Amino acid sequence: MLHKITQLFHVIGDYCKKYIVIVVALVMALACVLIIMLAYEYRCFKSETEKMLALKEDYRNYVIAVKKILHDYNKTKARLEELETLVVEKKNEFDELDSALGNTVFPEGVRVYSTDDEGDEGNSSFLIINRELEYLKQSALDYLKEQKLSYLESRMGPDAWLDYTDQVIERHKEQAQKRKQSRKKRVSTRKQKKPYQKQAQQEVVPKIKQRVHDVAMSWPIDRSNFWISSPFGPRRKPNGTRGFHTGIDMAAIKGTPVKAAASGVIVEARYASGYGNTVVIAHTGKYRTRYAHLSSFSVEVGQKVERGQRIGKVGATGFVRSKRRGGDASHLHFEVYAFGKQVNPMYFLG
């Protein structure tokens, strides 16, 4: 009996051992699963953390870039405002200069007729220019007062008016007084009169030319590269009516360099009706020069140029005569303005 009980306990012990082993195995398996899951969660959290750190760094870089862009924008905006103010100031200066140099306003219905206006075949009238010295001085002063620019008269200095008019007029008066006294004393015939008149003319004329031509100009094209195809003065238009050519035409090969006749400031550089590509240079308070029908120009308004500096190339833009006939119309139309009125350029070119 005791033996049977002992065997029973052994059997129960064996079963318990087996269950304990199973339970331990299950616990260990569960622990392994938990460890694996924790390791996976740790890996996921670590990956997300690295992404967040990278995103944080990108955000920081973006903030720095935006701050730099805003700084550059504010700096550029301030610079643009400064340049805009400077442009306005320069524009006002050029407007004042343009007014001071004598923008001529012709009476209503009256105009200076030019070869470049020959497209208006029905209009053959032109302005008769009064070149009397006293009239030129008085008209210039009246214009300054009319435009409220009287302060410019003091800037010009007394010699600007004195050299151009008063001294010349005074010389005319002196010569007239001498001739008057001479007439009273003379007893002779017409033959005795001629030598004195010739001598007086020789004394007066060179002095007048020296006083009037107070700006030195050179040919805008080298002398060997052109020929004068049309001088200054009256000429017939293509329709047979009489017209007036207010400049000289220098026929040359297209692309021939055109140079500034004298030092000055560019007051016009654009395409104009009739003139084509044209450049106007203001030299002093008295004189301007125009270079028309250019194929191209290399200067801009406000630029200072020196005598002999290249400003463009010969062309045939605008209204030219030979273009309608199918020939080569390349030439330079050159004008000289004295106090806003066109004068013969040959008086100024050496």
Side-chain angles (χ1 to χ4, degrees):
M1 186 72 178
L2 183 60
H3 180 69
K4 288 181 180 180
I5 293 171
T6 303
Q7 287 181 348
L8 179 63
F9 277 113
H10 282 297
V11 171
I12 293 172
D14 291 337
Y15 281 112
C16 288
K17 287 181 182 179
K18 289 181 181 179
Y19 286 124
I20 289 172
V21 171
I22 292 172
V23 171
V24 172
L26 290 174
V27 170
M28 291 182 65
L30 182 61
C32 290
V33 170
L34 289 175
I35 291 172
I36 292 172
M37 291 180 63
L38 289 174
Y40 178 77
E41 289 294 331
Y42 171 77
R43 184 175 180 182
C44 291
F45 279 121
K46 183 179 179 182
S47 175
E48 294 297 325
T49 303
E50 290 177 352
K51 289 181 180 179
M52 290 294 295
L53 291 175
L55 184 62
K56 180 181 178 181
E57 186 66 22
D58 291 341
Y59 174 77
R60 180 173 172 274
N61 293 333
Y62 291 149
V63 169
I64 294 173
V66 170
K67 287 182 178 179
K68 185 177 180 182
I69 291 172
L70 291 175
H71 176 73
D72 293 342
Y73 170 77
N74 293 330
K75 187 176 179 181
T76 304
K77 183 179 179 182
R79 179 59 179 166
L80 288 175
E81 291 176 352
E82 182 181 349
L83 290 176
E84 185 177 356
T85 304
L86 183 61
V87 167
V88 172
E89 293 177 356
K90 290 295 183 182
K91 185 175 183 296
N92 293 335
E93 290 179 6
F94 287 132
D95 290 341
E96 181 180 346
L97 175 63
D98 191 53
S99 299
L101 292 176
N103 289 332
T104 304
V105 179
F106 296 114
E108 185 176 358
V110 180
R111 58 195 286 271
V112 174
Y113 197 76
S114 171
T115 179
D116 303 295
D117 300 324
E118 290 178 357
D120 303 332
E121 298 180 355
N123 189 357
S124 59
S125 62
F126 59 91
L127 180 67
I128 303 299
I129 299 175
N130 185 351
R131 293 192 177 90
E132 291 293 332
L133 300 177
E134 289 180 318
Y135 171 79
L136 291 177
K137 176 182 177 181
Q138 191 58 44
S139 63
L141 291 174
D142 292 342
Y143 177 77
L144 291 178
K145 291 179 181 178
E146 180 184 347
Q147 300 295 326
K148 298 180 180 180
L149 298 173
S150 301
Y151 66 93
L152 292 174
E153 182 181 350
S154 59
R155 289 189 185 180
M156 293 178 184
D159 294 337
W161 300 113
L162 192 61
D163 289 344
Y164 186 71
T165 56
D166 294 344
Q167 288 189 7
V168 178
I169 294 171
E170 188 63 29
R171 289 182 182 277
H172 278 293
K173 290 180 179 179
E174 290 177 3
Q175 294 295 333
Q177 186 66 24
K178 288 180 181 180
R179 287 195 295 270
K180 187 176 180 180
Q181 293 174 358
S182 167
R183 288 193 194 99
K184 291 180 180 179
K185 294 179 181 179
R186 98 186 145 199
V187 218
S188 60
T189 61
R190 195 172 180 180
K191 289 184 180 180
Q192 295 174 329
K193 173 183 174 182
K194 286 184 178 178
Y196 171 77
Q197 290 180 335
K198 186 175 181 181
Q199 180 181 1
Q201 184 179 6
Q202 290 175 349
E203 292 176 357
V204 176
V205 172
K207 293 177 181 177
I208 294 176
K209 288 185 176 181
Q210 182 179 0
R211 294 292 180 182
V212 174
H213 300 164
D214 51 358
V215 60
M217 293 188 184
S218 58
W219 289 90
I221 304 177
D222 292 339
R223 295 288 296 271
S224 59
N225 293 335
F226 76 93
W227 58 278
I228 297 179
S229 57
S230 182
F232 179 90
R235 73 174 184 183
R236 291 192 179 277
K237 298 193 296 181
N239 62 0
T241 59
R242 295 189 63 81
F244 195 87
H245 191 211
T246 56
I248 60 175
D249 289 345
M250 306 178 194
I253 299 174
K254 182 178 180 180
T256 301
V258 177
K259 306 173 184 177
S263 301
V265 178
I266 305 296
V267 296
E268 183 179 339
R270 63 186 180 90
Y271 184 93
S273 177
Y275 286 114
N277 290 329
T278 181
V279 172
V280 177
I281 303 176
H283 303 290
T284 64
K286 303 178 183 180
Y287 301 109
R288 291 186 179 189
T289 52
R290 180 185 293 276
Y291 312 78
H293 306 311
L294 303 174
S295 62
S296 63
F297 50 83
S298 56
V299 292
E300 58 185 6
V301 175
Q303 179 179 342
K304 293 182 179 180
V305 294
E306 299 296 332
R307 179 180 179 183
Q309 181 177 340
R310 180 181 297 186
I311 59 173
K313 297 179 180 180
V314 171
T317 56
F319 181 83
V320 291
R321 288 193 172 197
S322 299
K323 185 181 290 186
R324 293 183 177 179
R325 303 173 188 172
D328 182 13
S330 297
H331 72 281
L332 171 68
H333 176 75
F334 179 68
E335 294 180 354
V336 176
Y337 294 78
F339 289 107
K341 308 290 179 68
Q342 289 110 324
V343 295
N344 192 344
M346 297 301 293
Y347 295 156
F348 299 85
L349 297 171

